Amino acid sequence: MTDDQGRLRDGDYIFKTHEQPFMPGSPATPDHPTLRRVGYLLIGVYLGLAGGFQNGLLIANLTNLQGSLALTPVEGGWVTVAYNMTNACMSMLLFKARQQFGIQRFVRVAMACLLLANFVQLFDAGYTMELIARGTSGIAASCLTVLAMFYLMQGMPAKARLVGLLLGMGLAQVALPLARAVSPQLLEGGDIVPLFQLQFAMSLIAFGLVNMLTLPPGHTVAAFEKLDLLTFPLFAGGIGLLCAFLVQGRIQWWTTPWLGAALAAAIVLIGTAFMIESNRKNPMLQVGWITSREIVSFALVGAMVRVLLSEQNFGASGLLATVGMNNDQLTTYYWILAGATFLGMVVSIIRLNPQDLRRPVIFAIAIIAAAALLDTHASTQTRPVNLYWTQAAMAFGAVYFMGGAIMEGLLRALSKGPAYIISFSAVFGLSQTLGGLFGVAALSAYHTLRTKAHLMAIGDSLTLTNPIVAQAVQQRAAAYSSTIGDASLSQASGAGQLVQQASREAAVQAYNDVFLLIGILASLVFAAMFAQWLYNRRHGINPLANELQALQAMMSRSDS
């Protein structure tokens, strides 16, 4: 509530000028005592990890989930779509919801979504309820990331509040390998229920924490307009169809007829939403700004980095699965990745220089290129220990680039005014989500094609007229002779085993091709960005000079 002069107040306390919220929908930033600051920081860390766990546990245990619910791969793909489409689209709607209804109502809705999503999964409610639960989890995860930022910023001094924003994003990334590291212990008995129990327990703790120490109040404004009820469903529907196209394309293959129709419908829906938004007086999305050269470049860089990072999510994980490694054998591997991700977050914050925000992005791409090229020598004897250094470097780069990227986008939005923050949030979130899905889809298709090519090349030499092949078949047939009395059947079994080994070898060689492709692409992106960065440095050009003035104005306002 506000007093007669329009100043925000909480009971009898009237917030000072420098304690006022930065914009409607965000909480006030009062001068907290030290103990309360620590409380906000700890709660923010927990919420950031809890939000990341919503997605991390799904990614890590999708196969187990499919087995537990007797789902086909296609049905498992729709579970992934349900999460990603809501998580990618909800940021702009939630932004307006905070402005319209206030931060406290936003917190209550966020906690309700979180509790509901994780509660229904405690019961064997079937496939339909799982889709609803995962869609709700996507909303809850988006809410938790925002809440984590708000809580972390409350615990920071005025000059370091932007660090809270970066921490909130970084902790969500740390939670992804962390979820993979703890998953084997949860599924030791083969039952997936302990996984759901952990998620529900985490949501209960989050609910208790945000009620023990609430966020300060903020201003509210009439944010929603009637046209929002038209443009948001159009935009969200288009993004949902894009997610479905990218996920189901690699499962059902790209020649499936309905995929083309889904892609066409997505383009029409998103285009219609943009057309409506571009002609509104108070648009939800600033289409002119989003389609400007600078923002398109920013979005493409963010998406490209996420595509390149699919080397880890698809390439390294797929390689280890191909050579027979399961989750129980990868615990140490994922703990190392979690540590490297955390280190990348810390170094990104410490080394962040507002005067040179492209340098960490360029450095991260260089790391990705080097790591991918080093992984091109994998074989069927490759084990997790052989990938510790390269994949740790990849995990480091995955978070290290985010500090500069987020700050660049935020500065570009702030230079235009607070109304552009929602557009920045939509652009960055979609570039990361769709970039990640596109990367996995594209690499999966490339890997399938290269596997077939390698298998054909290997198959040309797999003839019984080849003495080496004939000897290998006889050796494998001898292993079956004690259990299979028929000599011809044992020989057929030996030949089948040899074909399986050939298929595994072809798949591993195809992963090497994937690593090489990623290395080449990353090298090209690095060369282009480094050349532009070097040109700007030599000519004293700062592409964010105007945006930095907006940052200085914001910081001086916090100090006043």
Side-chain angles (χ1 to χ4, degrees), residues 199-279:
Q199 287 184 299
F200 185 61
M202 292 182 69
S203 64
L204 283 176
I205 294 172
F207 178 81
L209 290 175
V210 298
N211 281 282
M212 286 173 57
L213 187 58
T214 60
L215 288 170
H219 293 299
T220 58
V221 294
F224 284 109
E225 299 180 2
K226 290 182 179 179
L227 274 178
D228 294 339
L229 299 176
L230 176 62
T231 55
F232 179 75
L234 288 172
F235 184 76
I239 296 302
L241 288 173
L242 272 181
C243 291
F245 172 79
L246 293 173
V247 172
Q248 293 293 351
R250 65 185 179 90
I251 297 175
Q252 302 186 43
W253 199 242
W254 306 100
T255 54
T256 304
W258 72 266
L259 288 173
L263 179 60
I267 295 172
V268 170
L269 290 174
I270 296 173
T272 303
F274 274 19
M275 183 179 65
I276 296 172
E277 288 291 288
S278 63
N279 290 284

Side-chain angles (χ1 to χ4, degrees), residues 246 302-308 310 429-441:
L246 293 173
M304 179 55 70
V305 173
R306 193 53 59 188
V307 168
L308 297 176
S310 297
L430 289 174
S431 72
Q432 296 301 288
T433 299
L434 295 180
L437 292 178
F438 176 80
V440 172

Side-chain angles (χ1 to χ4, degrees), residues 185-203:
Q185 287 70 40
L186 297 171
L187 304 175
E188 284 184 351
D191 188 1
I192 202 169
V193 173
L195 176 70
F196 298 144
Q197 291 173 338
L198 173 65
Q199 287 184 299
F200 185 61
M202 292 182 69
S203 64

Side-chain angles (χ1 to χ4, degrees), residues 26 63 90 125 281 315-316 337 355 411 420 477 496 530:
S26 62
T63 302
M90 290 305 294
K281 182 178 180 180
L337 296 194
Q355 300 292 333
L411 289 178
Y420 286 73
F530 182 73

Side-chain angles (χ1 to χ4, degrees), residues 47 50-52 54-55 83 86-87 90 94 106 109-118 133-148 203:
L47 292 176
Q54 297 297 306
N55 186 31
Y83 177 90
T86 55
N87 185 254
M90 290 305 294
L94 294 173
F106 170 76
V109 171
M111 291 299 104
C113 289
L114 183 65
L115 287 171
L116 176 64
N118 292 323
R134 288 301 174 179
T136 310
S137 292
I139 300 173
S142 183
C143 293
L144 284 176
T145 300
V146 173
L147 284 179
S203 64

